[in-house]
Amino acid sequence: MTWTPINIATQLFQNIDEIELKSALAAIENAYVNEAGNHKRFPGLKIFANLPGSEPVYLYRHTATNDVYAVSNSRVYRIDRDGNYVDLTKAPLSGGGRPVFTETVDEIVIAAGGDIIRCDGKKTQVLSPDAPDATHVAYIDSILIANEKDSGRFAHANFGDARTWDPLDVFAADSKPDHVTAVIVTPYREILVAGPQSVEQYSRLEGETPFYRRWTVDEGIIAPYSMVFEDGAVFCVNSKKEFVRLSLQNSEPVSGDIARVLSAIPEQQWQKAWSQRFEVDGQRFIMLQIPDADTPYGGKGLTYLFDVKHRKWSNLYGWNPQLAVPEIYPVNDICEAYDRVLCGSNGVIYEMTPRDFVNASKPQRMIGRTAHLGNQPVEISDTRMRIAMGVGSYTTEPVIRMRCKVDNRYWSAWVERKLGRTGTQTAALLFGGFGTGEHFQFEWEILNNCQVTVMGLEADITAVGW
């Protein structure tokens, strides 16, 4: 026997046709490569709180009080640690856009394209009749900032008084003649003002002029809600449809492995795209979701998981049990609070859980698919996978299955193996041989509700002559 290891610790690569792929991974869904180079199943979703209606839920954690606020169907709720909610809505949120949150010294402030709303933890009120209609708000050094919707300007309130807005306190982001569609303040006290064609950085000044422009980047932001601070920089989707790490005037693309997919998404499908950071098992991730983008499965809603440290990507999907096909990952927003990762969905708040691997009541399908491996005639006499066993209960055994495509002709039948009841020792699973050919592609899949860690894949390969 000649066991040949197959590298599963490599990255997902979607920048060429799959038949051309000779290394890397063709697919990794609802999983990620952990620090040990293993395929680790992504946590499932369990219900944390139910809210009235079935509209999308967006979340924010107040950094001082640790309270979680939720916006759904223009109403504002406060959620406690046990998932109980209180409706705080006196003035509903208007504008119809994705809510953007910030906080002043004593209240949170929310914008969604209409009147800016404030909330002191009791009831919501319109911030000020003089404040602009805005899609984005931010706060720095006791000054509240907001973009003027559908214009190239951003305004600010008086120092220490978020409810007083002088119509002369306006700045024009004029490095390029485009609208201001996003504003963010970083922990480095940088104010980034973005539009479809440019990004400008402003810094604080003392005196009558509170800000000055330090530099510009000659590329814009195509997805206004994709700006997120992580790893000492702002990550976002630029006007070239690249996911970039933006630091000072340097824009570093980090989406080269999936650039072909991102560049093929039409511009109008990027407007609702968003990104958010969070941690799972000590690894930092950014979720990038493009809800209107087409998927390879014929539906809508692409969701990518980006490993910040290792610059690796994977996909997240939900599951349609009636059609038995993947659908959009059922999350609209992410918030780390109450020692949990909370996820806003439609009329519900989920909690990511490493114990249940279903998305609420629907299965979560984990798959991995290799490149087309090999370039000479060989016979695969056997294959084996090293995997954590004993992940079932005392009465049931979950099943993992594998199949193989030889010379890109057709997939073999699935070969199923059991993962063992509770207490079963970790071992290698043998899946048998898959015949003779010049190149092979392997795929594995699991739908059962159990933890899965794939630690290695090997094939027993023997060279043959034609």
Side-chain angles (χ1 to χ4, degrees):
M1 281 190 174
T2 306
W3 288 107
T4 301
I6 295 170
N7 185 9
I8 64 169
T10 184
Q11 78 274 22
L12 172 71
F13 196 82
Q14 297 179 331
N15 219 23
I16 59 176
D17 289 339
E18 200 168 294
I19 183 59
E20 301 177 58
L21 192 62
K22 304 303 180 185
S23 61
L25 291 168
I28 175 170
E29 298 177 7
N30 294 323
Y32 61 94
V33 179
N34 69 7
E35 299 279 5
N38 303 327
H39 280 213
K40 190 82 171 179
R41 195 173 194 178
F42 193 70
L45 301 172
K46 71 175 183 179
I47 294 177
F48 175 75
N50 285 296
L51 297 182
S54 59
E55 297 299 311
V57 177
Y58 306 95
L59 303 171
Y60 179 78
R61 181 182 67 87
H62 195 290
T63 56
T65 67
N66 204 35
D67 289 331
V68 173
Y69 291 84
V71 171
S72 181
N73 196 25
S74 300
R75 306 193 69 82
V76 179
Y77 304 89
R78 186 176 63 245
I79 318 294
D80 68 16
R81 180 178 290 272
D82 297 320
N84 303 308
Y85 69 86
V86 177
D87 191 339
L88 307 178
T89 309
K90 181 178 179 181
L93 189 65
S94 62
R98 182 183 181 88
V100 173
F101 302 81
T102 192
E103 58 187 73
T104 65
V105 173
D106 53 7
E107 58 193 7
I108 66 166
V109 180
I110 316 171
D115 289 332
I116 302 173
I117 297 298
R118 68 181 183 88
C119 182
D120 59 2
K122 299 176 182 178
K123 290 294 179 181
T124 60
Q125 296 180 359
V126 173
L127 177 69
S128 169
D130 299 321
D133 288 351
T135 63
H136 286 68
V137 285
Y139 188 73
I140 182 173
D141 293 352
S142 299
I143 300 176
L144 185 64
I145 304 167
N147 68 322
E148 291 188 356
K149 184 183 177 183
D150 299 327
S151 84
R153 300 180 297 275
F154 69 97
H156 66 86
N158 284 2
F159 181 87
D161 184 3
R163 303 176 198 177
T164 303
W165 296 71
D166 189 322
L168 298 180
D169 289 339
V170 174
F171 284 75
D174 55 5
S175 64
K176 289 284 185 71
D178 58 348
H179 291 169
V180 174
T181 56
V183 178
I184 187 174
V185 172
T186 75
Y188 296 150
R189 300 177 68 251
E190 305 165 314
I191 306 167
L192 297 187
V193 180
Q197 300 181 56
S198 64
V199 178
E200 300 180 351
Q201 193 242 46
Y202 289 78
S203 294
R204 280 281 284 123
L205 272 178
E206 302 298 331
E208 294 183 0
T209 303
F211 313 116
Y212 73 98
R213 189 176 66 198
R214 291 187 60 189
W215 50 256
T216 64
V217 177
D218 192 26
E219 60 185 37
I221 305 298
I222 196 174
Y225 302 103
S226 68
M227 300 181 75
V228 60
F229 185 86
E230 176 58 38
D231 192 36
V234 171
F235 289 82
C236 55
V237 182
N238 68 9
S239 50
K240 302 173 185 177
K241 304 178 184 178
E242 300 169 320
F243 196 65
V244 297
R245 184 182 187 274
L246 189 61
S247 179
L248 298 177
Q249 289 182 278
N250 299 317
S251 177
E252 174 197 358
V254 294
S255 58
D257 294 344
I258 60 170
R260 186 183 186 187
V261 177
L262 299 188
S263 64
I265 300 174
E267 183 174 346
Q268 65 272 17
Q269 293 182 2
W270 281 102
Q271 299 311 301
K272 295 182 181 179
W274 60 274
S275 60
Q276 190 57 267
R277 61 89 57 201
F278 62 99
E279 291 188 15
V280 171
D281 286 340
Q283 286 187 241
R284 291 177 295 158
F285 296 99
I286 295 176
M287 186 181 295
L288 170 64
Q289 185 178 86
I290 313 104
D292 294 331
D294 297 325
T295 75
Y297 299 102
K300 290 285 186 180
L302 276 177
T303 305
Y304 279 101
L305 186 68
F306 177 63
D307 181 339
V308 176
K309 180 179 179 180
H310 300 101
R311 300 293 195 263
K312 291 180 180 179
W313 295 86
S314 57
N315 283 109
L316 299 178
Y317 284 103
W319 184 254
N320 185 322
Q322 286 76 36
L323 300 177
V325 294
E327 60 184 11
I328 187 171
Y329 186 65
V331 164
N332 303 312
D333 201 4
I334 294 178
C335 172
E336 293 179 294
Y338 304 140
D339 302 316
R340 301 173 169 100
V341 179
L342 301 180
C343 305
S345 188
N346 293 338
V348 66
I349 300 173
Y350 293 127
E351 173 190 349
M352 284 188 187
T353 168
R355 293 173 296 277
D356 294 308
F357 295 88
V358 293
N359 293 333
S361 59
K362 295 183 178 180
Q364 183 206 72
R365 186 185 75 148
M366 170 185 171
I367 73 165
R369 186 163 65 247
T370 69
H372 291 266
L373 307 170
N375 57 6
Q376 62 181 356
V378 296
E379 179 185 2
I380 294 188
S381 304
D382 205 351
T383 50
R384 67 183 180 188
M385 176 181 285
R386 289 190 299 110
I387 191 165
M389 297 285 284
V391 294
S393 68
Y394 286 107
T395 58
T396 61
E397 297 184 72
V399 170
I400 188 170
R401 57 184 192 169
M402 181 186 291
R403 61 181 180 175
C404 181
K405 183 185 286 187
V406 180
D407 291 342
N408 200 38
R409 293 195 299 267
Y410 51 82
W411 286 107
S412 69
W414 287 105
V415 179
E416 295 187 350
R417 294 292 182 263
K418 294 182 178 181
L419 293 177
R421 297 185 180 96
T422 299
T424 305
Q425 297 297 310
T426 296
L429 297 178
L430 298 176
F431 288 85
F434 289 101
T436 302
E438 292 189 356
H439 55 86
F440 296 78
Q441 185 178 30
F442 298 96
E443 183 177 72
W444 55 94
E445 173 188 80
I446 186 165
L447 274 166
N448 296 130
N449 180 8
C450 66
Q451 182 175 339
V452 179
T453 304
V454 179
M455 296 176 287
L457 180 63
E458 297 174 302
D460 181 15
I461 297 177
T462 305
V464 298
W466 293 120

